[in-house]
Each structure stands twice: as structure tokens, then as C-alpha cells.
Amino acid sequence: MTPDEINRYIGLEWAAGARGPSAYDCWGLLRQVQAEHFQIEIPDVPEFGDVARDLYRERVESRSWEIAPAPFHGAGVLLRGGNEPHVGIWLECEGGGVLHSMERIGVIWSPRAALRLLGFSRLTFYKFNV
């Protein structure tokens, strides 16, 4: 993804369950960017909870989703800072950062240094094997 492609998403609204094109929740944005820019299809989940946990467990156990030791362009990112999971996409633009959609904020680009300020102290990177 280029900066121009990233800018196409910046500022779009956040809405629970939104799958675009004018609003996304974090999972919807992850799915859209992976499909459109990296040709990776990620299953939809209606909300985080049991369905998402079951999908995550199944994909990790089958090794179709693998934890990556370091970020790379297009990696899925699980951002943790509290009890609620949040996801985004790591992009190697402007020194690297995460494109993600946050409640009450919308779609934003966060350089790595800013993620801690947003409350995300733990990052896990994922490779999606197709």
C-alpha cells in the first residue's frame, strides 16, 4: 500500500459492524485492506466474543494464521492494552505504523511510537497464509 492508498481510508467513520465503504469497525477495515491490497480473504465475524475467539483458535491451530516475530508490510496486528481486542494492519510507510479504525475516532494512521499513547502496549503481528 502506498501513502495515497492509505489516505483513501483516513478519516472514514467508525461504526460497529461496518464493512465499508464509508465506515468501518476495526475488523471490517482489516478484512477490506487485506482483500483489496494483499489478496487475502479473512472471514467475517459479527463481533468480538466467542465466535471471534473460536475463529482465532482454529486459524492458529491450523497454522493458517501464524504469529510473526517482527512486523512486516501487510501484517495483521492485534493491539492490546486492556480487555478489549483491537486489530489493524501494519504498513511500512513513514517508518512503519498501524492503519486501524477506532470507536469515536474513525480510521487513523498511528506510527509505532503513538500506539502506546493510545493505550496499546502489547502488539502481536500475524501472517495470514492463504
Side-chain angles (χ1 to χ4, degrees):
M1 280 184 83
T2 66
D4 285 340
E5 291 170 321
I6 293 168
N7 287 335
R8 191 176 102 208
Y9 295 98
I10 302 294
L12 294 177
E13 293 182 25
W14 179 93
R19 299 298 182 253
S22 61
Y24 293 94
D25 66 8
C26 65
W27 191 261
L29 182 66
L30 174 69
R31 291 183 72 237
Q32 175 63 30
V33 170
Q34 290 296 329
E36 184 173 340
H37 300 281
F38 298 98
Q39 293 70 55
I40 295 172
E41 296 296 325
I42 295 177
D44 200 5
V45 292
E47 60 187 50
F48 288 120
D50 292 340
V51 173
R53 277 188 289 278
D54 291 346
L55 173 66
Y56 174 81
R57 185 178 303 110
E58 181 271 322
R59 294 294 167 119
V60 169
E61 287 175 0
S62 71
R63 302 190 58 94
S64 60
W65 294 358
E66 293 184 71
I67 295 175
F72 62 90
H73 192 68
V77 184
L78 176 62
L79 302 111
R80 297 298 298 252
N83 293 329
E84 294 299 316
H86 179 60
V87 297
I89 307 94
W90 179 267
L91 301 170
E92 292 290 344
C93 298
E94 300 178 9
V98 177
L99 182 67
H100 55 127
S101 186
M102 291 184 65
E103 188 172 357
R104 295 184 300 277
I105 296 173
V107 178
I108 60 173
W109 166 258
S110 300
R112 188 171 197 157
L115 293 168
R116 214 174 256 282
L117 297 173
L118 291 170
F120 301 117
S121 58
R122 299 178 316 237
L123 306 178
T124 306
F125 304 99
Y126 289 87
K127 178 182 180 201
F128 302 113
N129 301 314
V130 287

